[in-house]
Amino acid sequence: MYLYDVNQEEAKAKILHLSAELNRHNDLYYIQAKPEISDQAFDFLLKELESLEDLFPQFALPNSPSKRVGGDITKKFESVRHEFPMLSLANTYSEEEIQEWAGRITKAGMEQLEFVCELKYDGVAIGLRYEQGELVRAVTRGDGEQGEDITANVRTIRTIPLSLKGDFPDKFEIRGEVFMPLEAFGKLNASRDEAGEERFANPRNTTAGTLKLQDSAVVATRGLDTFLYGVYGNDLPFQSHVDAVKAAGSWGFKIPSEAHGYISSTNTIAGVMDFIHYWDEHRSELPFEIDGIVIKVNSYEHQRRLGFTAKSPRWATAFKFKAKQVQTRLLSVDYQVGRTGAITPVANLTPISLGGTTVKRASLHNADQIEKFDLHLDDLVFVEKGGEIIPKIVGLDLAKRLPNAVPVGFITHCPECHSPLVREEGEAHHFCPNQVSCPPQVIGRIQHFVSRKAMNIDGIGEETVAQLVNEGVILTLADLYDLTREPLLALDRMADKSVDNLLAGIEASKKVPFERVLFGLGIRFVGETVAKKLAYAFGTMDTLQIATFEELLAVDEIGERIANSLISFFKNQESLQLIARLKLHGLNMEVEKRALDSTVLEGKTLVVSGVFDSLSRDELKHLIDVNGGKNTGSVSAKTDFLVAGEGMGPSKLKKATDLGVTILSEEEFKNLIGYGK
Ligand code: IVH
């Protein structure tokens, strides 16, 4: 049966069934870690649901599992008053103060007193409101009285259920922490490296920044996670914190695992201290960051009796871990040259053990860092391990500086090609400007180009690229496509078979879609997501190449920094020659044309501008595409329609009016293409 043959009743039933199934599999996979079907089978069900929802949007559930991939754009995060104030916790770095706190409570003589110890997740607090088992709103803590509505973004977090299972209260709020697991943080920074973007400093700030992104589709890619730690509501049937948290687990929430020791009850102060000591020792083994331990009194009756101070409950407190720090000696400073030419100073240290690993090197970030500490060789420095794998220098012991110590001066020339370094205003890094022939830049660019997420060229690893460049066989990305058997066979470790593989891999890469070619070019700040957005927005390399600053800025999530980088890339003669050569070799220079939904817009040129209520700009452009129309970035005499949203520039509107272009609202556009009919 084709989806198009489904009648309304069947479609409605099928949408309901698929939504429930997808919710069930989401729970099995993300919460219970007991998947019943493969990832492909899951994707298949999801595609089926999406197609049906496209055809019958009137039946799509507001909390449809298809919303997990995001797409909603939030123009402004609305302010929302909390029904129950979101308090913070008293906290201390002193074990004695924890003992005193627990001692005071123990002495109050409450029968069967029990403490619950939990991890203090280092993320962002969130309040989730559910009504009739459906997520209706997600709000940040804000000032504790009112926060911001970030529902569209929170919906994309896989461990937050959109529809609950089991026996849940009609209305309640559940609170917890959203955080970025270390693996997701590492991957994100690796992709920032690839795009030549500044790394994010730590998982917590990155989580906070991610939750405030306007485009929920980007949030969906960031791998955020949650733990829930408090249920709030009127007349809830629970007698204790543990009862409530366990019940929340049965409704489909991700709660801390007892089996992993993430939560534990005890009725002694010694039990509390054991929990603290255990996790102080073992926290580096956790797949996420914690900054301490939270201790709560379990019984709600006891909590009521203990009450609150002005800012925080008396029945809970937090012990904060001191960052793990060691002191060691600075031996020397090396300077690394990245793919974009950015110079990163790296400290070589007397090896020392820190948090279970031996530390020999520490990142110094940039020249400002060296200046800030006024670093001298042989200084005794403090090294700390944060969210990053590479530890950082956080200070030094001036009193122990040797009398004749030599200051660390930043280098003036590239350590690889000896070109004088430049540092532009506002830039954190020094750069080697010799893009054309500085070996690590050339090698890094080609390694990036052939990498899996870009051209995915089989048979050529990072070492082979370095070998090819070092031996002078290739100098640019385009040279890859001129490679022949003979010079390759002459290289060390290159036998017949590996040469065949390499050449076949290069040939196959000509089929890679345009958005990945664009990503592979390694334009500064153009990562995978940005490359996709640009490719869909402009359609072809030719259009993108001549896009103006304003046209670039009109694309979602493209800011001035990215726009400037693109403009300067396309102004450069070498870039243009490179693109021309790649084009001649037959690489994809336009987005693939998909099967059309209709030909209503055939021969028509449209411009989308501003922000819309129900569709994102990308969705609108996609709809233009699949209905046969052509998207362009700026209004001209050739424009047939301007689809105008809120906040569109007045000059664009005036130009359109002057040229007699038909201006459509979002609704008028939907009617034109029969959207939802
Ligand atoms: S309970 C009224 N439990 O720490 C007490 N908070 O300083 C409500 N946090 O805003 C908080 N892990 O963002 C609680 N297991 C945990 C927590 C936790 C992290 C954060 C939360 C809160 C802050 C309080």
Side-chain angles (χ1 to χ4, degrees), residues 594-603 622-629 672-675:
R594 278 158 281 190
L596 296 185
D597 279 5
S598 86
T599 49
V600 177
L601 299 176
E602 200 169 85
H622 172 74
L623 287 170
I624 293 175
D625 214 22
V626 295
N627 286 288
L672 181 69
I673 60 164
Y675 182 81

Side-chain angles (χ1 to χ4, degrees), residues 147-399:
E148 287 176 313
D149 184 335
I150 53 166
T151 316
N153 287 346
V154 166
R155 237 191 262 284
T156 67
I157 303 174
R158 301 296 203 274
T159 46
I160 292 184
L162 302 176
S163 302
L164 303 181
K165 57 180 186 174
D167 189 15
F168 44 79
D170 263 3
K171 287 185 181 173
F172 68 95
E173 181 172 334
I174 187 161
R175 291 183 181 165
E177 202 83 352
V178 174
F179 59 90
M180 185 172 284
L182 289 170
E183 192 184 339
F185 181 66
K187 278 193 187 151
L188 179 59
N189 264 346
S191 73
R192 308 240 345 145
D193 280 347
E194 275 184 2
E197 289 166 315
E198 193 83 3
R199 293 181 139 236
F200 286 122
N202 61 55
R204 179 171 35 99
N205 293 356
T206 313
T207 304
T210 301
L211 286 173
K212 296 295 290 289
L213 288 174
Q214 292 200 331
D215 186 350
S216 59
V218 180
V219 183
T221 64
R222 293 269 174 100
L224 294 177
D225 201 346
T226 49
F227 275 122
L228 280 314
Y229 49 63
V231 185
Y232 295 74
N234 298 314
D235 308 319
L236 296 182
F238 311 112
Q239 306 307 319
S240 73
H241 174 62
V242 169
D243 282 355
V245 169
K246 283 199 173 142
S250 76
W251 308 330
F253 290 101
K254 183 162 166 185
I255 56 164
S257 138
E258 261 180 296
H260 286 90
Y262 294 174
I263 182 167
S264 169
S265 303
T266 171
N267 39 34
T268 66
I269 302 177
V272 170
M273 300 321 286
D274 283 350
F275 190 88
I276 289 180
H277 295 149
Y278 179 84
W279 282 113
D280 197 4
E281 182 68 27
H282 292 274
R283 69 184 150 119
S284 61
E285 294 156 25
L286 286 167
F288 48 83
E289 291 210 315
I290 60 173
D291 60 340
I293 298 297
V294 178
I295 308 123
K296 301 172 182 174
V297 169
N298 189 27
S299 146
Y300 281 169
E301 174 52 27
H302 292 168
Q303 290 188 4
R304 260 190 295 276
R305 275 161 54 189
L306 289 161
F308 296 85
T309 69
K311 279 185 291 185
S312 52
R314 284 202 193 84
W315 47 262
T317 194
F319 175 76
K320 298 251 275 182
F321 294 133
K322 292 186 197 78
K324 283 216 158 56
Q325 236 184 42
V326 282
Q327 209 184 40
T328 187
R329 208 169 278 284
L330 173 69
L331 299 176
S332 61
V333 177
D334 285 343
Y335 295 86
Q336 292 176 344
V337 187
R339 166 167 71 78
T340 56
I343 310 287
T344 310
V346 179
N348 293 309
L349 308 164
T350 305
I352 187 150
S353 158
L354 172 64
T357 51
T358 304
V359 174
K360 291 187 209 127
R361 285 154 79 74
S363 164
L364 274 167
H365 209 57
N366 57 34
D368 291 347
Q369 201 81 344
I370 295 178
E371 214 170 284
K372 184 175 107 191
F373 295 130
D374 181 28
L375 270 190
H376 284 51
L377 291 179
D378 292 321
D379 272 350
L380 268 180
V381 292
F382 296 106
V383 180
E384 196 175 287
K385 246 192 186 169
E388 294 275 4
I389 316 293
I390 308 164
K392 54 177 185 264
I393 292 182
V394 291
L396 55 85
D397 191 343
L398 254 187

Side-chain angles (χ1 to χ4, degrees), residues 87-89 118-121 125 141 177 229 294 296 313:
L87 300 174
S88 68
L89 290 173
E118 291 176 11
L119 305 179
K120 189 170 189 306
Y121 317 104
R141 177 168 182 275
E177 202 83 352
Y229 49 63
V294 178
K296 301 172 182 174

